[in-house]
Amino acid sequence: MNASVRVAVVARSEVARSGLARMLEDASHVRQYSVFEPEEFTASAREDAIQLLILSCDVLALWCVTGPGPEEDAWADELAAVARRNGIRVVLILPGAKVQRAASGEGVPCDGVLDQNALTTRGLDDALRRLSGGERILPQPTARTGAGTPAPEGSHPAGTRAGLLTERERQIIELLVEGLSNKQIGHALGVSEHAAKRAVAVMMSKLDCPNRTQAVVTALREGLVSAGVEPHV
């Protein structure tokens, strides 16, 4: 099988950088890889480093030790945004405790999430192959599937997704179909806007949907909403 994926790794930890480099050396689908430190994107040669990153990869792997969101990993947000604007797929490699939060849409925008603690050469290789092919790699949010277990987009058979949703989440998807905002959903459910936003993100993760529009399309296609609910146009 021909190696075809070009990968760029950005990690603060030297241990993480060297560990990923060893994995990428043995990955059968990786054609070439580059390894960067976050400081390279904040130094005087920042623009040159960004251009090199853009030209050197199909998939950008960000090893975020503390997970998405904290100020010390703010570099990850910028690099992920730059990569995605240039058609590069982004995968976050996070501690297990941070995986579900990232997969639900919080923090750094990405196309996949992998668990640092469960990462293997074979698993990384397969994830990179699938990401470069256009799949999204997100863990299942159910107890039966361990955190960090990658699942391809649309992996649930038609007609089975309804069983993944709680009664409250089915109500949320109906409110989304009606075109309500997070604030309006929160008001309808009697919770804060923040709580509503989080609930919407979890529901979208369960449906393997990257955004609200896709969640609505999935709900309508698979009959996840009650009869009589009119989609907002």
Side-chain angles (χ1 to χ4, degrees), residues 154-182:
S155 61
H156 299 295
T160 67
R161 300 199 202 200
L164 295 174
L165 302 181
T166 65
E167 196 61 37
R168 174 60 64 91
E169 288 164 345
R170 290 176 66 85
Q171 185 178 0
I172 289 172
I173 192 66
E174 290 187 355
L175 295 173
L176 277 184
V177 170
E178 293 175 5
L180 273 63
S181 65
N182 287 335

Side-chain angles (χ1 to χ4, degrees), residues 24 52 70 81 99 109 115-116 128 136 152 183 204 212 224:
L24 293 172
L52 177 60
V99 167
D115 185 346
Q116 292 176 8
L128 293 171
R136 297 177 68 244
K183 184 175 182 179
M204 289 193 300
R212 297 162 70 98
L224 303 184

Side-chain angles (χ1 to χ4, degrees), residues 10 31-32 34 38 43-44 58 90 95 113-114 127 130 133-134 138 164 185-186 192 197 199 209 215 226 228:
V10 183
R31 183 169 85 233
Q32 69 179 54
S34 305
S44 58
D58 307 303
V90 176
V113 181
L114 299 174
R130 289 161 57 191
L138 297 175
L164 295 174
I185 290 173
S192 68
K197 179 180 178 181
C209 293
S226 302

Side-chain angles (χ1 to χ4, degrees), residues 24 37 41 44 89:
L24 293 172
E37 300 179 37
F41 301 96
S44 58
R89 308 281 285 175

